[in-house]
Amino acid sequence: LFAALDIATGAVIGKCYKRHRAVEFLNFLKQIDGHMPKGLDVHIVMDNYATHKTPKVKAWLARRPHWHIHFTPTSASWINQVERWFAELTRKQLQRGVHVCVKDLEADIMKFVECHNENPKPYKWVKSADEILASVKRFCLKTEQTLCGEL
């Protein structure tokens, strides 16, 4: 599944592919492009997956200066809001599901996308950036003390 989350509305564009190569990713980008109103800038936040950085993908994006790509740092996909949506998909639709074939799995995934988009809601951070960073700092200090105490 490739999925794009509109953070303003909470709506999702999703497409299942048998493989996750650059060809499929480029087709997905074209699908997103087809949904976008003309004249808007498009900002995509994504991980550093090699498929996202192939010469064909780079060339396609270079011809679209209104598309802006932002890569999450390694191991920081949690800051990508669509990852939160993937977690909901897993928890609400897939975790206890029984799929006897890939076709059934894909149908359940697309059903979830459709149901989600009937009443989408944007994600809202419940803590400020300062609160999040303070929590990370406390964790780092605690971890450092624990590691230092073991030496």
Side-chain angles (χ1 to χ4, degrees), residues 90-100 105 108:
T90 301
R91 185 175 55 82
K92 293 180 179 178
Q93 185 74 23
L94 304 178
Q95 208 163 38
R96 292 185 178 91
V98 176
H99 304 95
V100 295
L105 174 62
D108 269 1

Side-chain angles (χ1 to χ4, degrees), residues 7-151:
I7 62 166
T9 67
V12 171
I13 299 169
K15 178 79 172 146
C16 291
Y17 292 96
K18 299 220 180 296
R19 300 177 72 181
H20 273 204
R21 300 171 302 176
V23 170
E24 290 83 10
F25 183 62
L26 198 49
N27 284 336
F28 183 63
L29 291 178
K30 291 174 185 176
Q31 181 182 355
I32 295 170
D33 199 38
H35 281 80
M36 297 304 304
K38 300 296 179 213
L40 289 182
D41 279 2
V42 179
H43 290 264
I44 297 182
V45 178
M46 58 187 168
D47 60 17
N48 285 294
Y49 190 44
T51 300
H52 301 156
K53 299 177 176 183
T54 64
K56 283 186 179 183
V57 170
K58 286 180 178 181
W60 188 86
L61 291 167
R63 292 190 303 273
R64 288 159 183 82
H66 63 287
W67 281 62
H68 309 278
I69 306 304
H70 311 278
F71 290 104
T72 58
T74 304
S75 301
S77 63
W78 62 271
I79 66 174
N80 188 341
Q81 291 184 20
V82 77
E83 295 290 341
R84 180 68 204 115
W85 182 86
F86 277 119
E88 281 189 34
L89 164 66
T90 301
R91 185 175 55 82
K92 293 180 179 178
Q93 185 74 23
L94 304 178
Q95 208 163 38
R96 292 185 178 91
V98 176
H99 304 95
V100 295
C101 65
V102 173
K103 186 177 179 181
D104 290 348
L105 174 62
E106 289 177 358
D108 269 1
I109 289 170
M110 295 315 295
K111 182 171 94 177
F112 184 82
V113 171
E114 289 172 20
C115 289
H116 172 85
N117 285 339
E118 287 174 5
N119 188 24
K121 291 182 177 66
Y123 291 105
K124 295 188 178 167
W125 297 106
V126 294
K127 294 190 176 190
S128 71
D130 288 338
E131 289 171 308
I132 293 169
L133 292 172
S135 177
V136 170
K137 182 178 180 179
R138 284 191 305 275
F139 174 77
C140 290
L141 290 172
K142 182 179 175 183
T143 304
E144 183 179 278
Q145 289 171 354
T146 302
L147 292 175
C148 291
E150 294 175 0
L151 296 178

